């Protein structure tokens, strides 16, 4: 079974407008205990702002978080994937580029966000699920071995009598050196 990003993304996405002040971004992040906010302009995704971005801008001299807008702090290129993208592809890209999140969007409309926290939840879920395919395969193999009367099944035309016996070499005596 191939998992897709939709299986584990956060669907209730908090977003912020590009012209909102940094103080509003802080408020949303603190209130909802999140670290990433997709930035919208006219309802379309235009970037991403993270808690790290806010702290970086705010350490600059003369920056007033009430006066500076999110557009000044955001990354203009957000890692964006369409719904249905394989989870493996998203996780691999996030790890390779050290992205903290992926925005799940279609036609510029945000449908979800997949963060490193979502990735850890996905990992936990996938590691604690029973391994269904492996169990089924093992039970099929056991049933095939049993066959009629408990004897192992052999391909047609092959009998035990026609197979050459295996030769076992006698055990060597250990000598002292």
């Amino acid at each position: 079974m191939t998992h897709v990003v939709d299986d584990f993304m956060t669907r209730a996405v908090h977003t912020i407008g590009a012209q909102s002040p940094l103080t509003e971004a802080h408020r949303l992040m603190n209130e909802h205990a999140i670290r990433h906010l997709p930035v919208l302009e006219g309802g379309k995704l235009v970037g991403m702002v993270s808690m790290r971005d806010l702290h970086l801008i705010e350490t600059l001299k003369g920056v007033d978080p009430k006066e500076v807008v999110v557009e000044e702090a955001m990354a203009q290129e957000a890692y964006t994937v369409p719904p249905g993208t394989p989870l493996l592809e998203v996780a691999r890209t996030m790890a390779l580029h050290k992205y903290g999140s992926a925005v799940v969007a279609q036609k510029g409309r945000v449908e979800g966000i997949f963060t490193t926290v979502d990735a850890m939840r996905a990992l936990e879920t996938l590691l604690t699920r029973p391994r269904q395919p492996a169990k089924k395969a093992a039970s099929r193999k056991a049933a095939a071995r049993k066959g009629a009367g408990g004897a192992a099944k052999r391909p047609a035309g092959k009998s035990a009598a026609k197979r050459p016996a295996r030769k076992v070499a006698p055990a060597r005596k250990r000598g002292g050196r």
Side-chain angles (χ1 to χ4, degrees), residues 154-159:
R154 293 181 184 83
K158 301 267 184 176
S159 70

Side-chain angles (χ1 to χ4, degrees), residues 35-57:
R35 295 177 297 157
H36 301 89
L37 283 172
V39 181
L40 306 179
E41 192 166 16
K44 297 286 184 191
L45 181 67
V46 294
M48 173 71 74
V49 67
S50 69
M51 187 65 79
R52 185 181 300 171
D53 296 330
L54 296 178
H55 289 303
L56 179 66
I57 292 294

Side-chain angles (χ1 to χ4, degrees), residues 1-176:
M1 177 180 189
T2 302
H3 292 280
V4 294
V5 70
D6 314 42
D7 296 338
F8 297 99
M9 72 181 183
T10 298
R11 293 178 188 282
V13 184
H14 298 282
T15 61
I16 192 161
Q19 297 306 310
S20 299
L22 297 184
T23 53
E24 178 64 10
H26 267 294
R27 187 191 66 73
L28 281 170
M29 289 180 180
N30 291 332
E31 184 177 308
H32 300 288
I34 57 177
R35 295 177 297 157
H36 301 89
L37 283 172
V39 181
L40 306 179
E41 192 166 16
K44 297 286 184 191
L45 181 67
V46 294
M48 173 71 74
V49 67
S50 69
M51 187 65 79
R52 185 181 300 171
D53 296 330
L54 296 178
H55 289 303
L56 179 66
I57 292 294
E58 291 168 354
T59 59
L60 300 174
K61 285 188 178 195
V63 171
D64 181 357
K66 295 176 193 164
E67 301 293 323
V68 177
V69 295
V70 169
E71 186 176 45
E72 301 289 326
M74 73 178 193
Q76 291 181 347
E77 296 294 320
Y79 174 48
T80 307
V81 297
T85 302
L87 185 60
L88 177 60
E89 178 185 322
V90 175
R92 191 175 278 152
T93 302
M94 286 176 66
L96 180 66
H97 298 285
K98 299 180 181 176
Y99 295 146
S101 64
V103 178
V104 181
Q106 193 158 11
K107 297 179 183 170
R109 188 175 161 269
V110 176
E111 295 189 12
I113 189 167
F114 182 78
T115 66
T116 53
V117 172
D118 296 316
M120 290 297 98
R121 287 186 185 126
L123 182 61
E124 187 269 336
T125 298
L126 295 173
L127 291 176
T128 57
R129 282 188 185 162
R131 293 184 59 183
Q132 296 296 332
K135 286 182 181 179
K136 289 178 183 176
S139 63
R140 281 194 302 267
K141 286 180 184 176
R145 280 193 303 267
K146 285 190 179 181
K153 287 191 175 185
R154 293 181 184 83
K158 301 267 184 176
S159 70
K162 291 184 180 179
R163 273 190 277 145
R166 292 186 186 168
K167 294 184 181 180
V168 179
R172 295 185 192 174
K173 291 184 181 179
R174 294 185 181 233

